[in-house]
Amino acid sequence: MKSTRRGWPMLAFVAVGSAAVMGVAMPTGLLAAQVSSPAKKVEKPLPDGEHPSLAVKGHLFDRQSVYAFLTTAKQAEAMADPLQRCLKYPDPPGSHWSAVAVEAYCRYRTHQVAPFEEVRSLLQRGEFDELERRLASLLQDKLNKPDMRNVLDHSFERWFARSDLELRPLLENWKHAKSQSAFAYAASGISYVAMAQQARGGQYIKDTPASNIEAMDRLIALADVDLRHAVELDSRVTPAYVAMIRAGRYSLGDAYLEKAAGAALRADPANFAIYDELMWALQPKWGGSLKQMTLLGKQAIKHAGENPVLLLLPEKELAYEADLDSDDCTKPGRWDQFSVIFDQAAVTSQLLDAGTAAARCGQLELSVVYYSEALRFYPEDDDTRVARANQLSDFDESAWALKEIGHLLLQKPHEARYVFARGYAYEGLNDYTNAEKDYLAALALDPGNQTIYAQLAGLYVNDMHDWEKAWKLDERLVELYPNEPYVWLLRAHIQQEQPRPGLKDTADYFQAHFDKSPELHQALLKMRAAQALQEGKAHAAAKATGQ
């Protein structure tokens, strides 16, 4: 069984660099209409153990269970039929996922929605009658076919929740041609909300220019006009309500959100998209509360008989309370909680968050499982697929990883991260020639990527033991990154293992520039010990030859 081979040779440091993930702090608080009383303050996650579910002792995944999970997952992913692939997929080790919830979510995620390009083409050709016919059919399916009750909302989200400037005039033409179409006005309003989100940007409110906020408010005002008109024309067109909840969260405030939520739940009390949007809107960071999220989840469950996908919503409150996307890698018991949070089925976004958090902190057993579950429900996610492929090599599945990356490279042959991932899979297969070739090709595509340099250094030192190539690479790294301690640790490692002269000079330089933390000081002590050993051997050799 293979251990992780990421990172600089001989080091336990996890990362060369980091990028902060910026959150979005919205300017208004939120209320839960028909769910609970208004929140008086922003709440923080409760201390460990206060939530009954989180007080339950969880467990980590052992390597054996992950190997068994991946074996079954690989078999499922080989199936051609998307629904059967999803249904036959294994649940996380030791979990108790509801078969009803899983089947409902599989059907929800695998139902084939017409591609956006097809809808755009109808709009461009002015075939509004045909578009109206298709949407009317989806509305009737929503009302009369239990397996299709979520497709209308899902379709509107896929087609119109996009800040596409070229789409804007097409929607205006549609509204003009079909002035009594609730579909046209709902689509237009949804698009305006997406444009408002882009105009605002992803920074905290304090870091967002006033002009961005003003642009967002103008677009939200336009969205409100269209969305109100849509539900006046036909209250059954529920995608409009979802966008109204989103607009309230972004700009229009508590009173608007409360009214929109109430109208939405009256129009369709078992609507997954509405509950899903409300659950996110009620997070404490927007001014809601954990209590409101809990009560909303309980209300949703009451309607699960009509729409079983609602069974997945209560897990959102549990994941939020556990601070799932925290950057804290050392919090006691944090990783044990994952098995509690995901003891029941969860939506794709949460599974992806769990996989990303675990990967960031080196918890590969957790990460590869939750990344796989995210791909179970959203196999089109190429970002997650390449991240998971890199981890497959650490579980003796390099051949599977190579096949996965091969499919991605057919679409984007010059994507540096794909080329790098293929190199990592080759390295896992002990094909060092092709691994080196891909690492060098990836560097040509992305010259400043230190992760690629690190893996190439590891290939030369740990696998190929090619000290000349390792030394030439280190000389290049010294030129590019003279202030990175890892570069000098690589140099010392080569000088120690080859061996090569100059270890004392490297140790002196390292001490003068980098002896600033306990970890780096320990590295320096090892360097000095290796230096003393080399000098002792040299002295003994000189003495033996009489020099």
Side-chain angles (χ1 to χ4, degrees):
M1 295 182 182
K2 188 183 304 176
S3 60
T4 306
R5 292 178 281 110
R6 291 267 180 244
W8 295 94
M10 77 178 267
L11 295 180
F13 299 105
V14 174
V16 179
S18 63
V21 179
M22 299 302 295
V24 182
M26 295 300 173
T28 60
L30 297 175
L31 304 177
Q34 297 185 339
V35 178
S36 66
S37 58
K40 295 182 180 180
K41 63 179 180 179
V42 175
E43 298 182 12
K44 297 180 179 179
L46 297 174
D48 292 347
E50 286 199 15
H51 190 291
S53 295
L54 293 181
V56 175
K57 178 66 175 176
H59 64 274
L60 295 174
F61 301 150
D62 58 54
R63 298 282 293 189
Q64 184 177 359
S65 65
V66 174
Y67 272 85
F69 170 88
L70 290 174
T71 297
T72 308
K74 181 167 59 174
Q75 294 170 353
E77 290 193 20
M79 301 181 73
D81 181 79
L83 178 58
Q84 291 304 312
R85 172 192 178 279
C86 186
L87 293 174
K88 297 296 184 182
Y89 214 89
D91 301 334
S95 65
H96 302 89
W97 284 18
S98 160
V100 174
V102 168
E103 180 176 354
Y105 199 44
C106 282
R107 292 186 181 280
Y108 172 79
R109 296 297 310 188
T110 59
H111 183 87
Q112 294 300 308
V113 174
F116 169 67
E117 290 71 24
E118 187 174 317
V119 174
R120 185 204 292 270
S121 180
L122 290 173
L123 289 169
Q124 288 173 332
R125 297 196 304 268
E127 296 184 20
F128 304 122
D129 287 338
E130 173 61 18
L131 182 55
E132 292 278 334
R133 184 192 67 77
R134 295 189 186 188
L135 292 173
S137 177
L138 288 179
L139 177 58
Q140 290 304 310
D141 287 343
K142 166 187 167 65
L143 299 174
N144 301 314
K145 298 179 181 179
D147 286 349
M148 298 281 286
R149 70 168 357 267
N150 299 300
V151 178
L152 179 69
D153 295 280
H154 196 191
S155 298
F156 265 76
E157 187 72 18
R158 288 280 190 93
W159 296 337
F160 306 119
R162 54 181 71 225
S163 55
D164 185 340
L165 293 179
E166 295 181 1
L167 179 62
R168 190 68 252 158
L170 301 179
L171 296 175
E172 293 301 322
N173 291 340
W174 184 13
K175 287 191 298 182
H176 180 74
K178 297 292 181 180
S179 60
Q180 297 303 305
S181 169
F183 299 128
Y185 281 93
S188 178
I190 291 168
S191 174
Y192 273 132
V193 173
M195 293 171 68
Q197 181 181 5
Q198 184 184 55
R200 187 204 182 282
Q203 299 297 317
Y204 287 107
I205 191 68
K206 64 182 178 62
D207 301 321
T208 302
S211 58
N212 289 40
I213 301 299
E214 292 170 2
M216 177 188 71
D217 288 341
R218 287 195 299 270
L219 290 164
I220 288 291
L222 293 171
D224 178 45
V225 173
D226 281 354
L227 295 171
R228 286 177 184 268
H229 191 48
V231 297
E232 288 171 0
L233 289 169
D234 192 339
S235 62
R236 301 174 302 172
V237 182
T238 48
Y241 288 116
V242 175
M244 291 173 80
I245 294 168
R246 199 170 297 167
R249 179 184 64 204
Y250 286 144
S251 175
L252 297 178
D254 291 347
Y256 180 93
L257 175 61
E258 183 172 351
K259 185 175 180 181
L265 293 176
R266 286 192 296 273
D268 188 352
N271 185 287
F272 175 75
I274 290 171
Y275 278 107
D276 192 34
E277 195 70 25
L278 277 173
M279 186 66 79
W280 197 75
L282 289 176
Q283 292 179 100
K285 63 182 176 182
W286 308 140
S289 71
L290 294 170
K291 180 179 180 181
Q292 290 173 319
M293 294 176 73
T294 300
L295 292 173
L296 182 68
K298 290 180 178 178
Q299 181 171 331
I301 290 296
K302 293 178 181 178
H303 300 280
E306 304 167 65
N307 192 1
V309 184
L310 292 171
L311 291 169
L312 283 82
L313 285 179
E315 299 307 303
K316 287 200 165 188
E317 182 269 331
L318 190 61
Y320 187 91
E321 183 172 341
D323 202 12
L324 186 64
D325 58 356
S326 169
D327 289 333
D328 186 355
C329 294
T330 60
K331 179 181 176 182
R334 180 185 179 196
W335 307 113
D336 291 359
Q337 285 186 339
F338 274 43
S339 64
V340 179
I341 297 167
F342 297 105
D343 187 57
Q344 294 297 321
V347 295
T348 304
S349 59
Q350 282 187 304
L351 295 166
L352 178 56
D353 285 346
T356 301
R360 185 168 55 234
C361 296
Q363 298 289 330
L364 294 189
E365 288 82 6
L366 291 171
S367 185
V368 75
V369 168
Y370 292 123
Y371 271 155
S372 295
E373 293 293 354
L375 289 170
R376 172 187 192 172
F377 299 115
Y378 187 22
E380 301 88 357
D381 186 351
D382 291 345
D383 289 338
T384 302
R385 189 163 297 282
V386 71
R388 200 272 303 265
N390 285 331
Q391 295 176 345
L392 289 176
S393 292
D394 293 308
F395 293 91
D396 300 328
E397 289 287 359
S398 295
W400 182 10
L402 190 64
K403 184 178 180 181
E404 294 271 276
I405 297 301
H407 291 313
L408 295 175
L409 281 167
L410 289 175
Q411 303 300 320
K412 295 182 179 180
H414 303 298
E415 184 75 29
R417 59 198 173 120
Y418 295 170
V419 177
F420 170 76
R422 184 174 64 183
Y424 191 58
Y426 277 131
E427 186 177 353
L429 293 169
N430 299 326
D431 184 348
Y432 303 141
T433 300
N434 276 317
E436 179 189 19
K437 180 180 177 181
D438 274 344
Y439 290 156
L440 292 173
L443 276 175
L445 293 166
D446 188 4
N449 193 311
Q450 292 189 45
T451 299
I452 304 174
Y453 276 120
Q455 200 62 36
L456 183 60
L459 178 72
Y460 289 151
V461 170
N462 299 326
D463 295 326
M464 298 174 68
H465 306 296
D466 191 324
W467 303 111
E468 289 302 320
K469 286 184 177 180
W471 185 256
K472 288 181 181 179
L473 178 63
D474 186 71
E475 287 184 322
R476 176 63 176 153
L477 291 172
V478 167
E479 293 178 6
L480 293 172
Y481 310 109
N483 298 320
E484 287 287 357
Y486 317 108
V487 172
W488 297 92
L489 285 169
L490 171 61
R491 170 161 292 206
H493 185 66
I494 298 168
Q495 290 168 328
Q496 176 185 345
E497 296 295 328
Q498 186 174 11
R500 178 181 285 261
L503 182 57
K504 181 182 183 303
D505 293 337
T506 301
D508 290 344
Y509 186 91
F510 191 89
Q511 182 172 358
H513 293 84
F514 305 119
D515 188 15
K516 300 174 182 178
S517 72
E519 294 83 4
L520 292 176
H521 183 68
Q522 286 297 316
L524 175 63
L525 293 179
K526 293 178 181 179
M527 205 181 299
R528 289 298 189 193
Q531 175 195 338
L533 182 62
Q534 274 193 4
E535 291 173 348
K537 289 182 178 179
H539 178 73
K543 186 176 180 180
T545 58
Q547 296 180 356

